């Protein structure tokens, strides 16, 4: 079976008039970190490009890599970030107080290491679902009942049979990873209680475009959602969005609240406000996507120029963090171990491995502090505040961070 295939239809509306506007070239999957014994072996590379559907306005990858290839062993543990842990504790509290009784069932699709559901322990019944077995084992060890599987209609039927309908169905940073959205929506239809709510959070396409977040384009992220395309998708399955909240995490996200059409929650003005914002931006700036692509090329040139200039001046530049977006930036800019000797990341499972495509080793933050390089290129710019605080001593002793997004700056 082929491990990747070309997308020639819109994932939400089936439109075939897709317009390519950004091409980052062929790259290995961003989370396919290499073991030392693998760095001299050939790596599979897949096209990484974006297109826009003029019918429902979904932005999506032009190529898809099979989920089994991407998620068989996952290195992303949400709980590494304290801020994300607090963020999801806030989401859990909001859900538990507004939508779920003490005997209600909350199911989370893409529950990762249980970062959110952990906060609901003892407040209601919980169940996590995530395809990455290695991460699910962490969740179970944290006391979060979890199933290592993809969320499908058949699994939804099974869960409902065993545990009853879900009062709340959550999906945080998941929907963008799903190829067959119809299958997931059929599963939601099966599992959600009649007056149940869906709470889904993911990066927002308006922030993605406004803040030049091209490095968040990787093979896991099949879709880049706005409210307009999601309204299309929900309507096809008898659901409606009744509220949307913008969030600052992950470079700018939206949290949408959905229900069965006509259920009890009144539709908030926030929904129409964002639909109109999206319409206005695309009508007023018809060349917005092309400009975005040109700005990406200019940022790459500027970043490469800065690193070369610093090295010419005898300065040592390394990387800091090894997020999926960092792998995309490294590969797109063509940086290698001669440019950045290593990158430091706090995730124990990543240390000792290599960034795919560029073979830059991943070291620990402790190694970084001892080494004390002159500059550190911060790939996880979305955790800037938390990390600059954590590395205060490095900065106070003259170390500087290079932030690549939304524009190159040295702090
Ligand atoms: O959709 C996804 C987004 C939400 O998160 C997933 N597909 C994968 C993941 O993407 P990412 O890897 O770009 O996420 P982050 O949260 O930007 O990755 C943060 C990285 O930075 C992790 O490798 C951990 C590391 N880190 C660190 O070394 N020290 C993070 C913090 C906060 C730190 O203090
Ligand atoms: Zn479409």
């Amino acid at each position: 079976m082929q491990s990747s295939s070309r997308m020639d239809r819109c994932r939400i509306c089936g439109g075939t008039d897709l317009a390519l506007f950004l091409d980052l070239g062929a790259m290995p999957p961003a989370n396919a970190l290499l073991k030392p014994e693998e760095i001299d072996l050939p790596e599979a590379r897949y096209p990484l490009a974006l297109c826009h559907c003029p019918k429902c306005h979904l932005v999506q990858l032009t190529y898809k890599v099979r989920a089994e290839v991407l998620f068989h062993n996952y290195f992303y543990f949400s709980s590494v970030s304290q801020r994300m842990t607090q963020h999801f504790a806030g989401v859990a509290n909001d859900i538990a107080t507004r939508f779920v009784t003490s005997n209600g069932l909350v199911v989370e699709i893409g529950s990762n290491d249980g970062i959110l559901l952990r906060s609901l322990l003892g407040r209601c019944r919980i169940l996590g679902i995530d395809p990455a077995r290695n991460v699910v084992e962490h969740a179970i060890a944290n006391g979060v009942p979890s199933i290592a599987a993809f969320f499908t209609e058949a699994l939804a039927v099974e869960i409902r049979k065993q545990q009853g309908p879900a009062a709340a169905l959550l999906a945080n940073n998941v929907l963008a990873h799903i190829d067959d959205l119809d299958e997931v929506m059929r599963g939601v239809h099966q599992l959600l209680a009649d007056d149940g709510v869906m709470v889904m959070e993911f990066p927002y396409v308006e922030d993605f475009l406004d803040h030049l977040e091209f490095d968040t384009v990787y093979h896991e992220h099949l879709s880049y959602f706005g409210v307009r395309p999601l309204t299309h998708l929900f309507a096809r399955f008898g659901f409606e969005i009744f509220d949307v909240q913008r969030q600052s995490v992950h470079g700018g996200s939206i949290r949408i609240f959905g229900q069965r059409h006509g259920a009890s929650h009144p539709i908030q003005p926030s929904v129409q406000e964002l639909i109109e914002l999206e319409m206005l931006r695309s009508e007023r700036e018809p060349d917005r996507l092309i400009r975005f692509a040109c700005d990406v090329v200019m940022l790459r040139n500027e970043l490469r120029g800065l690193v070369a200039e610093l090295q010419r001046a005898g300065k040592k530049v390394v990387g800091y963090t090894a997020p999926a977006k960092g792998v995309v930036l490294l590969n797109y800019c063509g940086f290698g171990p001669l440019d950045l000797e290593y990158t430091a990341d706090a995730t124990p499972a990543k240390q000792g491995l290599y960034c795919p495509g560029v073979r830059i080793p991943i070291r620990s933050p402790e190694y970084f502090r001892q080494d004390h390089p002159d500059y550190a290129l911060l790939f996880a710019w979305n955790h800037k505040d938390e990390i600059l605080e954590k590395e205060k001593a490095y900065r106070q002793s003259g170390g500087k961070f290079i932030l690549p997004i939304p524009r190159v700056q040295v702090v």
Side-chain angles (χ1 to χ4, degrees):
M1 182 187 216
Q2 268 194 320
S3 50
S4 69
S5 54
R6 183 173 184 72
M7 284 295 293
D8 49 18
R9 303 176 64 83
C10 172
R11 171 170 291 108
I12 283 191
C13 74
T16 52
D17 176 19
L18 303 177
L20 173 75
F21 69 90
L22 177 73
D23 190 344
L24 300 179
M27 286 186 204
N31 273 314
L33 304 183
L34 301 173
K35 298 186 183 83
E37 61 272 20
E38 293 173 324
I39 59 173
D40 296 327
L41 301 177
E43 277 176 285
R45 289 170 175 265
Y46 307 97
L48 197 53
L50 282 184
C51 60
H52 169 260
C53 169
K55 219 166 123 198
C56 72
H57 300 290
L58 177 67
V59 170
Q60 57 188 355
L61 291 186
T62 59
Y63 237 82
K64 63 182 178 186
V65 179
R66 273 192 321 111
E68 291 73 15
V69 173
L70 296 176
F71 297 108
H72 69 286
N73 194 21
Y74 203 48
F75 288 104
Y76 181 74
F77 295 81
S78 312
S79 304
V80 171
S81 160
Q82 278 151 13
R83 183 177 170 220
M84 291 313 291
T85 306
Q86 289 152 11
H87 173 78
F88 286 121
V91 179
N93 191 48
D94 183 37
I95 291 158
T97 40
R98 285 174 61 190
F99 303 119
V100 185
T101 62
S102 58
N103 188 40
L105 173 64
V106 175
V107 177
E108 183 176 15
I109 305 166
S111 47
N112 196 270
D113 55 6
I115 181 174
L116 185 150
L117 291 174
R118 214 179 304 163
S119 314
L120 290 175
L121 277 168
R123 300 179 69 174
C124 58
R125 291 182 294 132
I126 58 174
L127 178 64
I129 302 168
D130 196 294
R133 185 166 299 284
N134 64 313
V135 179
V136 161
E137 282 156 11
H138 274 257
I140 293 169
N142 288 325
V144 176
S146 302
I147 301 172
F150 288 101
F151 181 69
T152 60
E153 182 177 10
L155 178 61
V157 170
E158 196 48 39
I159 293 170
R160 182 163 186 144
K161 216 187 296 170
Q162 289 178 12
Q163 306 196 36
L169 244 169
L170 318 181
N172 293 299
N173 298 313
V174 176
L175 214 59
H177 301 64
I178 288 167
D179 175 30
D180 190 346
L181 291 169
D182 286 18
E183 174 70 17
V184 167
M185 295 308 284
R186 283 193 293 271
V188 172
H189 192 74
Q190 291 290 346
L191 182 52
L192 194 68
D194 290 347
D195 60 346
V197 297
M198 278 175 268
V199 184
M200 298 180 167
E201 184 174 307
F202 33 75
Y204 186 32
V205 70
E206 288 302 311
D207 292 307
F208 167 79
L209 293 172
D210 275 351
H211 308 140
L212 207 56
E213 298 172 1
F214 75 94
D215 55 347
T216 63
V217 176
Y218 36 90
H219 298 102
E220 291 173 30
H221 282 173
L222 294 163
S223 304
Y224 300 74
F225 290 117
V227 177
R228 288 185 293 176
L230 282 172
T231 307
H232 265 267
L233 177 68
F234 274 41
R236 278 206 288 118
F237 290 87
F239 292 113
E240 63 189 5
I241 299 174
F242 66 84
D243 193 5
V244 186
Q245 294 170 354
R246 292 188 80 162
Q247 303 290 326
S248 61
V249 294
H250 284 303
S253 298
I254 46 175
R255 184 179 306 158
I256 63 163
F257 297 80
Q259 64 185 357
R260 293 184 191 279
H261 191 71
S264 61
H265 300 283
I267 310 285
Q268 298 302 317
S270 59
V271 182
Q272 194 50 32
E273 280 162 11
L274 285 183
I275 288 174
E276 283 167 12
L277 168 85
E278 292 168 19
M279 281 168 63
L280 218 55
R281 292 299 302 266
S282 48
E283 281 160 15
R284 280 198 185 149
E285 304 162 58
D287 61 349
R288 186 183 187 196
L289 300 180
I290 298 302
R291 279 213 338 266
F292 175 86
C294 297
D295 291 347
V296 168
V297 174
M298 289 161 67
L299 186 140
R300 173 181 62 181
N301 298 342
E302 186 181 357
L303 191 56
R304 283 196 58 84
L306 173 62
V307 170
E309 192 186 312
L310 292 172
Q311 287 178 321
R312 228 162 139 260
K315 301 297 181 189
K316 180 171 185 180
V317 187
V318 301
Y320 195 95
T321 62
K325 59 173 78 69
V327 171
V328 170
L329 190 80
L330 283 167
N331 277 276
Y332 178 64
C333 291
F335 285 134
L338 289 179
D339 303 301
L340 306 171
E341 186 186 302
Y342 63 87
T343 187
D345 192 288
T347 312
K350 295 187 177 182
Q351 293 162 8
L353 301 180
Y354 288 73
C355 296
V358 294
R359 290 159 169 70
I360 288 177
I362 301 169
R363 300 259 187 266
S364 68
E366 293 68 30
Y367 180 94
F368 163 79
R369 292 178 197 126
Q370 276 169 358
D371 184 44
H372 204 292
D374 302 301
Y375 290 82
L377 176 49
L378 179 55
F379 296 117
W381 41 264
N382 49 314
H383 296 295
K384 157 168 73 79
D385 299 340
E386 184 174 352
I387 290 173
L388 294 184
E389 178 55 31
K390 194 176 280 186
E391 299 300 346
K392 204 160 46 180
Y394 165 71
R395 298 178 68 211
Q396 283 167 348
S397 53
K400 295 201 182 308
F401 277 98
I402 301 169
L403 306 179
I405 301 289
R407 56 185 171 75
V408 178
Q409 52 182 123
V410 178
V411 295

